[in-house]
Amino acid sequence: MNLQRLAILAFATFVSVATFGQLFHPLGLGIEKCGREEKSFRPQMHIEGDILYACTNQGLYSRDLSDDESIWQLVGFEGISLQDFVRKSDDLLAMRYNISNHYFLLSHDGGKTYEDVTPDRFYMGEAASIMTLTRLVQHPTDPNTLLVSSDPWGIYQSPDFGQTWNRLTYEIIPEYIGYHPLNPKIIYASGEEEYFSWVLNISYDSGLTWQYNPPYSSGDNCVNRIAFHPTDPDRWIVGGSGIVYTSDDNGHTWDIQDFSGDGLRDGLWVFTAYDSENSDIVYMAGRTSDKIEIMCSTDGGKTWSVPQTEPMKKSSTKNVYDLKQYGSKLLFYTESDIYEISKAELLAQATSVQGVTTAKTRESSIIYDLQGRRLSIIPQKGVYIQNGKKKLVK
């Protein structure tokens, strides 16, 4: 090989390494505000216009994303560990991180002043001093209607912006909850139970009844936060532990892409998002034991790029809290900071790296009935589930 070719290859390698190193841009919120207090502390982000709001363990902070020179500003709820907040006109209802009581704080001035509006049912009786609220979700078209998930007392819904709460179910303890944005009568509850089994319960009637619709792949796994196709309500996609699940029938059955063992894509995929401008592009954000990771698909989730990674500064800062989009950028909230990622740079990395593959579909001989119970033999008649698909035996 001649010297000119060696020089070209060396320059290409340098450009690739430099680009890789610049993919994750920290926004400077810092581990002091992002650091995790307990397992259930999962602060969230919101974007309103050009303003990014971040719940932190020291209050609500904001930054102007349209100005690269802007700095973080304290908005309100100073010194309070916040999980999330919802907005209705000028009112903010914040959910603080708390493992006993005083969960909800209502502010009429952006968080500068506030009052505790936690209903009595969250203080007394069965919930007394042992409940943790983990997720707060606002209805996509009715700002008064809210969902909250609790451990260990299930899912509650409020029709009046948190003044009163009705329990939808106490049998489901999810890590993630949400409304289907195109059909809000559909509510999902997903996550992981003890012994590494799935939580995926779906209500198609606004929480009145629930169906247990997990993917039924073999082995240890979980189902994390679901993403819904922006125009086709039947198409859902979600990540697990080394697995991507897709549904084309509104969450009733699932196809399984198994990355376990490939050494690249078998991290824990926590957050999924369809690109806001091109729904053929899908992003997955997650982590391994020592890295935060993001990968993408340019064909609607059929094939996936090699993940781009950012090593964690210390082993205890490995958790991923949230994933949001702002124009041409992705925002990736972790225990150490909020990172900004250029979509164009990520896609350039993805298409330039060999190894974009279709995951193998996991085939399993395990069969289940419609209640999710494992069966030892195939039934002579009736409907059963195998490999995430319903099958009819006549």
Side-chain angles (χ1 to χ4, degrees):
M1 185 179 295
N2 60 42
L3 293 177
Q4 183 179 12
R5 180 167 176 78
L6 281 172
I8 292 173
L9 287 175
F11 177 75
T13 301
F14 170 78
V15 171
S16 175
V17 171
T19 304
F20 171 80
Q22 297 171 1
L23 185 62
F24 290 81
H25 299 273
L27 293 185
L29 187 58
I31 192 172
E32 294 80 10
K33 297 181 179 67
C34 301
R36 199 172 202 184
E37 295 192 344
E38 298 289 345
K39 178 180 179 182
S40 56
F41 181 59
R42 298 166 181 168
Q44 299 294 286
M45 298 183 291
H46 293 267
I47 299 175
E48 299 178 5
D50 294 322
I51 305 302
L52 170 65
Y53 293 91
C55 295
T56 78
N57 59 31
Q58 298 179 22
L60 181 63
Y61 281 76
S62 70
R63 176 171 171 160
D64 186 349
L65 294 174
S66 67
D67 180 5
D68 291 339
E69 302 301 319
S70 67
I71 61 174
W72 289 99
Q73 303 285 344
L74 175 66
V75 176
F77 305 103
E78 184 175 3
I80 295 176
S81 294
L82 293 185
Q83 295 271 58
D84 207 349
F85 74 90
V86 291
R87 185 188 297 275
K88 184 183 72 169
S89 187
D90 294 329
D91 294 341
L92 290 183
L93 181 69
M95 186 176 78
R96 68 185 299 176
Y97 175 73
N98 198 306
I99 58 173
S100 57
N101 49 36
H102 303 292
Y103 299 105
F104 295 109
L105 305 175
L106 178 63
S107 175
H108 305 293
D109 57 9
K112 296 179 178 63
T113 61
Y114 47 85
E115 59 178 323
D116 186 344
V117 293
T118 307
D120 287 345
R121 74 176 305 158
F122 289 115
Y123 287 127
M124 302 170 63
E126 63 188 4
S129 74
I130 59 172
M131 185 164 65
T132 301
L133 302 187
T134 54
R135 298 286 174 178
L136 177 65
V137 175
Q138 192 166 33
H139 192 283
T141 59
D142 178 9
N144 282 305
T145 300
L146 311 175
L147 288 176
V148 69
S149 59
S150 70
D151 184 3
W153 296 108
I155 302 171
Y156 293 81
Q157 187 173 58
S158 172
D160 49 20
F161 201 65
Q163 295 182 53
T164 61
W165 294 87
N166 305 306
R167 190 162 63 184
L168 297 183
T169 174
Y170 63 88
E171 298 175 337
I172 305 168
I173 311 297
E175 294 183 70
Y176 304 93
I177 54 175
Y179 292 100
H180 192 310
L182 300 181
N183 184 359
K185 288 185 177 180
I186 299 176
I187 304 171
Y188 80 88
S190 62
E192 180 181 6
E193 291 184 322
E194 293 183 68
Y195 310 113
F196 307 101
S197 61
W198 304 268
V199 173
L200 183 54
N201 296 80
I202 302 170
S203 174
Y204 295 92
D205 54 12
S206 300
L208 295 176
T209 62
W210 294 83
Q211 298 181 21
Y212 182 53
N213 290 358
Y216 295 106
S217 62
S218 59
D220 298 344
N221 224 290
C222 54
V223 179
N224 293 314
R225 194 174 75 181
I226 296 175
F228 301 91
H229 192 278
T231 59
D232 184 348
D234 289 339
R235 291 176 59 185
W236 304 12
I237 187 167
V238 62
S241 181
I243 290 183
V244 173
Y245 307 107
T246 56
S247 176
D248 293 324
D249 60 2
N250 227 4
H252 290 283
T253 61
W254 296 85
D255 289 323
I256 302 162
Q257 295 175 287
D258 183 2
F259 296 111
S260 60
D262 78 349
L264 291 172
R265 304 168 191 84
D266 57 355
L268 178 62
W269 299 109
V270 182
F271 296 106
T272 310
Y274 284 95
D275 187 84
S276 55
E277 299 172 320
N278 181 351
S279 58
D280 286 334
I281 299 173
V282 189
Y283 307 101
M284 284 269 180
R287 61 174 175 82
T288 64
S289 60
D290 60 350
K291 298 180 179 67
I292 58 173
E293 298 187 316
I294 190 162
M295 67 177 180
C296 60
S297 170
T298 57
D299 55 11
K302 296 181 179 66
T303 62
W304 293 89
S305 69
V306 172
Q308 302 302 303
T309 65
E310 175 80 359
M312 303 310 292
K313 294 179 175 60
K314 52 192 259 186
S315 60
S316 61
T317 60
K318 63 185 179 182
N319 288 284
V320 180
Y321 297 141
D322 202 3
L323 174 69
K324 289 288 190 293
Q325 299 181 60
Y326 172 72
S328 63
K329 297 176 181 178
L330 298 171
L331 300 171
F332 197 9
Y333 195 176
T334 78
E335 280 186 77
S336 58
D337 211 323
I338 295 177
Y339 292 88
E340 184 181 77
I341 299 171
S342 164
K343 292 181 184 179
E345 290 179 14
L346 175 64
L347 290 170
Q349 290 282 356
T351 55
S352 68
V353 177
Q354 293 184 355
V356 179
T357 64
T358 301
K360 58 184 180 294
T361 298
R362 174 178 284 175
E363 296 292 335
S364 173
S365 60
I366 302 173
I367 56 176
Y368 305 82
D369 65 14
L370 295 182
Q371 285 71 50
R373 295 172 299 200
R374 182 170 175 169
L375 303 177
S376 58
I377 59 173
I378 296 177
Q380 295 181 351
K381 290 184 179 181
V383 179
Y384 66 96
I385 296 176
Q386 186 176 23
N387 293 315
K389 297 293 186 181
K390 291 181 180 176
K391 298 184 179 182
L392 175 63
V393 178
K394 298 182 179 179

